[in-house]
Amino acid sequence: MATKDIRSGDLIIEVPYQLLITRAKAISSLGSWAATLSSHQAIALYLILEKSKGIRSPWYEYIRVLPERFDSITSNMIDFLPENVRVDLERQKEKFERDYAAIEQLQATSNAYNPISSNEFLWGWSCVNTRCIYFKASNCQLSFSSDENIAIAPMLDFLNHSSCAKIMGEFNQQSNCYQITTMTTIKKGEEVFINYGPHDNFRLLIEYGFTIPNNPFNYVSMDEEFLSLSLPDEDDTIKQYKLNILTQAGFMGDYTLREKEISFRLLTALRLHVLHPFIPSSTHAQSLIARWKDTLIGRLDKINEENDQLVFDYLERMCQTTLNKADIVMNNLSSELSRNGTFHIYQIWDESVEILKSVIDLCHAK
Ligand SMILES: C[S@@+](CC[C@H](N)C(=O)[O-])C[C@H]1O[C@@H](n2cnc3c(N)ncnc32)[C@H](O)[C@@H]1O
């Protein structure tokens, strides 16, 4: 909480370099046998070993106020997540497993410490994942590759995230401190937030385990709907032909909707997808593809009126299908909202519904 009015441009926190937990510091304490570890692995391992020292650790006061455990998304909750979040979650899980494998490999070759279980490592790994700061290589002498530019900054990591917070975080070479300056005013008594980055609720949930209401970065992914879209009597080879063109043009996937906003990638992909009937060898089809390519470079804003109408008709159907999915998931979730994590998944779908409805309105206006 702000104990006094804070002005825009004021420093809200600074952490001296000696108090940052960096990879270099972790490795020098762990020993040269740990030199192969990445920043994330080394800092996580260091925190675990320091925690096990209890009061004998110089970090005792800090570590004792860290979360004791981190809740995970349980396997029965995974089914309620949108497909794109499930994919990201799987990647996250793989990253954890790779990192733990690196620790296990070290354990097999060194007896410098008692073996660390996967659960213990999950604690250290989650501390780093949810609390580390990133440095820009240009204004920091701490390390060299951007991947290595992470550190734990005790105390600074107790500040929560708000998408409204405007801050500047950087390492100040003169004072040798990592500093955060607010670019907005904060009134006495208000919570002091920082901004973890332009994260949508999917990213916030996967990386940090929470979501925020009215997140301006929210979006709905239409990749799955797009790929399952089929036109009446269209042969699979024709569908594949169109998908190949999209891939070659660099327009395959990453189709998103935001509040009253359809991504250019999705519009572009739909323009091609809904061309029907479509005989690739015909001169008519080839001239339509040429017109489609003109829409890519802005020479045309549509292939033709008929195609434009079909794009919005199909988009409306895709939105409707996703709305129906949201309805089923939200119905299933509504009786379990008190369960950990369920609320956040419900919130994600609830905000997706708002986005989908706003896009359906756009389609009607066409
Ligand atoms: C860097 S820590 C912030 C300090 C944390 N609140 C604590 O007391 O240890 C990040 C974690 O804080 C929580 N958090 C941060 N901002 C939040 C917000 N706006 N709403 C809910 N939880 C938030 C999440 O659990 C996240 O993983």
Side-chain angles (χ1 to χ4, degrees):
M1 294 288 186
T3 53
K4 56 176 188 182
D5 285 347
I6 301 175
R7 288 165 311 179
S8 168
D10 282 356
L11 196 62
I12 48 176
I13 189 163
E14 60 179 349
V15 182
Y17 175 68
Q18 315 76 280
L19 292 182
L20 296 180
I21 305 177
T22 61
R23 176 179 182 274
K25 227 173 260 182
I27 303 278
S28 87
S29 162
L30 293 168
S32 55
W33 53 270
T36 52
L37 296 180
S38 70
S39 295
H40 198 152
Q41 297 159 357
I43 299 173
L45 183 58
Y46 178 65
L47 283 178
I48 295 163
L49 297 183
E50 288 302 312
K51 186 182 184 213
S52 69
K53 291 182 189 165
I55 197 143
R56 286 179 296 110
S57 166
W59 301 105
Y60 173 71
E61 292 297 341
Y62 168 62
I63 290 175
R64 78 191 186 92
V65 283
L66 287 177
E68 272 174 29
R69 60 184 181 86
F70 292 84
D71 295 319
S72 300
I73 295 178
T74 53
S75 47
N76 55 343
M77 272 153 59
I78 292 178
D79 295 339
F80 293 125
L81 289 168
E83 171 65 16
N84 60 313
V85 190
R86 263 183 267 166
V87 171
D88 284 355
L89 195 63
E90 198 47 45
R91 283 201 197 114
Q92 178 87 317
K93 205 170 141 222
E94 283 164 13
K95 181 176 183 313
F96 171 76
E97 278 159 7
R98 268 200 313 277
D99 285 344
Y100 183 56
I103 300 294
E104 276 185 309
Q105 209 177 343
L106 271 192
Q107 287 178 170
T109 54
S110 154
N111 54 5
Y113 58 89
N114 289 334
I116 297 218
S117 69
S118 162
N119 257 345
E120 278 175 292
F121 187 64
L122 184 60
W123 174 81
W125 192 89
S126 302
C127 282
V128 178
N129 211 55
T130 58
R131 314 181 81 84
C132 72
I133 49 166
Y134 290 85
F135 294 91
K136 280 202 199 87
S138 58
N139 58 14
C140 155
Q141 87 276 38
L142 296 176
S143 55
F144 306 103
S145 85
S146 63
D147 215 27
E148 297 301 287
N149 285 337
I150 64 169
I152 295 269
M155 289 316 293
L156 186 152
D157 64 334
F158 286 101
L159 293 169
N160 284 336
H161 165 83
S162 163
S163 58
C164 300
K166 292 191 179 62
I167 54 150
M168 208 175 69
E170 62 182 7
F171 191 79
N172 183 322
Q173 309 269 12
Q174 270 89 46
S175 64
N176 215 26
C177 288
Y178 187 84
Q179 299 181 325
I180 292 193
T181 306
T182 177
M183 294 306 177
T184 52
T185 56
I186 305 163
K187 291 232 167 322
K188 180 179 173 179
E190 283 178 1
E191 180 169 355
V192 178
F193 287 101
I194 55 171
N195 195 318
Y196 299 174
H199 302 312
D200 53 77
N201 276 345
F202 302 145
R203 184 89 357 240
L204 286 178
L205 182 63
I206 288 178
E207 300 290 347
Y208 301 96
F210 72 99
T211 55
I212 50 172
N214 308 315
N215 187 333
F217 299 103
N218 279 351
Y219 70 94
V220 178
S221 168
M222 297 305 272
D223 286 19
E224 204 190 359
E225 282 317 318
F226 179 84
L227 286 175
S228 53
L229 187 71
S230 38
L231 307 185
D233 305 323
E234 186 170 79
D235 200 289
D236 268 356
T237 54
I238 309 263
K239 182 172 173 179
Q240 197 49 51
Y241 179 86
K242 291 173 178 172
L243 295 181
N244 288 346
I245 295 179
L246 282 178
T247 307
Q248 277 162 19
F251 276 88
M252 190 62 194
D254 196 14
Y255 305 134
T256 55
L257 299 176
R258 290 173 198 273
E259 184 84 24
K260 297 196 189 102
E261 197 184 307
I262 307 156
S263 71
F264 181 70
R265 291 184 71 82
L266 177 56
L267 276 180
T268 299
L270 275 172
R271 281 185 190 123
L272 184 70
H273 204 337
V274 303
L275 287 175
H276 192 59
F278 186 84
I279 303 160
S281 55
S282 70
T283 46
H284 179 59
Q286 291 308 317
S287 85
L288 288 174
I289 290 178
R291 288 182 70 81
W292 175 75
K293 286 186 175 158
D294 281 347
T295 66
L296 296 186
I297 52 172
R299 200 178 284 156
L300 287 177
D301 64 357
K302 57 184 85 154
I303 294 178
N304 56 42
E305 284 302 331
E306 187 199 350
N307 177 265
D308 206 43
Q309 193 52 54
L310 275 179
V311 163
F312 288 99
D313 289 350
Y314 274 100
L315 180 56
E316 187 181 340
R317 280 187 225 179
M318 287 161 66
C319 289
Q320 202 54 59
T321 314
T322 316
L323 272 181
N324 295 344
K325 265 188 207 165
D327 204 36
I328 295 170
V329 175
M330 286 164 77
N331 261 333
N332 286 333
L333 285 177
S334 56
S335 57
E336 313 189 34
L337 285 184
S338 54
R339 255 182 47 204
N340 228 331
T342 316
F343 167 78
H344 298 296
I345 303 178
Y346 188 92
Q347 176 147 305
I348 281 181
W349 282 104
D350 195 33
E351 293 190 3
S352 297
V353 165
E354 292 311 309
I355 292 176
L356 290 162
K357 283 183 178 164
S358 78
V359 172
I360 290 181
D361 286 346
L362 281 185
C363 294
H364 286 165
K366 279 284 160 185

